[in-house]
Amino acid sequence: MEDLANQILAVADWLTLHVTVWVLVGTGLFLTIASRGVQLRHFPSMIRAVTGSRQGAKGGISSFQAFTISLAARVGVGNVFGVAAALLMGGPGAIFWMWIVALVGMATAFFEATLAQVFKVRVADGTFRGGPAYYISLGMKNKVLASVFAVITVVTCAFVITSVQSNAIAGTLLSALGDAGSEPVIASLTRAQIIIGALLFVFSSMVIFGGIRTVARVTEWMAPIMATIYVIMVAVIVIVNIGQFGAVLGQIFSSAFAPQPLVGGLGGGILAALINGTKRGLFSNEAGQGTAPNAAATATVAHPVSQGLIQSLGVFIDTVIVCTATAFVILIAGPDVWGAEGISPANLTSVAVANELGQWTIMPMAVLIFVLAYSSIIAAYVYSETNMTFVTGKKWATWTVRVISVGSVVLGALVSLDLVWNAVDIAMAVMTVTNLIALLWLSKWGLGALRDYEAQRKAGVEIPVFVGTDNPLLPGDLPTDTWAEEKVS
């Protein structure tokens, strides 16, 4: 099994280096140029959009709730374990490439969220569904490719991502508990493992079985609070060690282009930095991957671009703020921590925090990682159910996704998942490339919506309203009546 896991990892690295990185960055650059740097020009608008995003839901899912669902998925263990893995295997330079992926990814996130809104559909309960499967089907008129994407997303989100996140929770809590509850009870399972699995079952089933509206209500307060607490904690460490700020920045920039590792105890070299920075950056912020648009489409908004701007800001928060904060804590900790015996991506960040603030932080960090991973679990469920609704809207299918999601959470807490951890990169690569092809194909729709939004704002309209028919700035009329004039006026 270990050999198979290593082979899958080799395939994932090859795909990242030779396919994903080029398509991802290339698409982001194209969309940045085509939109005249929408992520830079409209950055202040992103802030304003978030501050007013709790209003106007009209009984549906608010723009802010849709934003926090995707933020819950973005700000997860990728910000803790992913950054640590990028540093251990790619060196400080990996953080530079994470920044690059994020900055061009902000444009990608804007377009995929805007298109998800443009091509969204209303479902029986009055809320909306949308995402890559929908805009591939309705925009590209390719139902086969849309169905393939939807099935891959259902499997990846309902099984792979949920089990990987719960595995991270279990590993962190078991490490924090030490020898407590370590005696075997059933087969090789310990008492602590069983208790953690049971707790995850209870917490995940309470929310997942409640459906997407329940997830929206939970993430609305959970995602902002957990991100804020984590950033405050690492900010304290950075402020206390502010004298090392310049040196850490120097390590990141110099290592990004170094042919060989420059920092003892960490991996590195330009190739390793590029691969790990890109791979972990994508895993963390999800820009271009095609998952976050499923959340973006659920929002009830007056104009698709307003949600596109909000989702773009989510990439900035995730990578440029949260991931960078994690990287600074680890790099400040120094080689005594990086090279210590038993250090791995699963515990490096917690050990680094404890090194700076004291051993009392071990358990709070374990609880924080629990919340980070748990929020990603329930967000992944939203993505899987959205795509299952595309495949078939039958009620049994929806409940099947919920049962599989909860079951995968329990499974991930009880067994080792090296194979799944490595396979997730391949699944994400396939999803990403498929989604990016669709974004390029449909970019004229995203640009048309952006021009419509900007024209209204220039004319003094405070809250632009989008109409999908007889709109001269669009390539044509939308194939649904979601944005018909009588429905949005």
Side-chain angles (χ1 to χ4, degrees), residues 229-320:
I229 291 174
Y230 183 66
V231 170
I232 289 174
M233 183 170 62
V234 295
V236 170
I237 296 174
V238 173
I239 291 170
V240 170
N241 296 275
I242 195 67
Q244 299 183 48
F245 189 83
V248 169
L249 274 181
Q251 286 182 352
I252 291 173
F253 284 106
S254 60
S255 297
F257 302 98
Q260 299 296 329
L262 297 179
V263 182
L266 291 178
I270 185 169
L271 193 61
L274 180 62
I275 290 176
N276 288 283
T278 302
K279 186 164 63 175
R280 297 306 164 189
L282 172 61
F283 181 74
S284 178
N285 67 51
E286 300 185 17
Q289 183 180 303
T291 47
N294 295 286
T298 64
T300 302
V301 292
H303 201 290
V305 167
S306 62
Q307 194 63 30
L309 293 173
I310 289 175
Q311 298 298 138
S312 181
L313 183 65
V315 175
F316 182 87
I317 293 172
D318 173 87
T319 305
V320 179

Side-chain angles (χ1 to χ4, degrees), residues 23 27 41 47 73 77-78 86 89 107 116 145 193 198 218 227 233 249 296-297 302 343-344 346 400 417 422 435 443:
V23 180
T27 301
R41 292 190 299 113
I47 306 297
V77 295
M89 294 182 280
L145 184 60
Q193 284 178 296
V218 171
M233 183 170 62
L249 274 181
I343 284 294
S344 69
T400 298
L417 292 171
N422 295 341
N435 181 52
S443 58

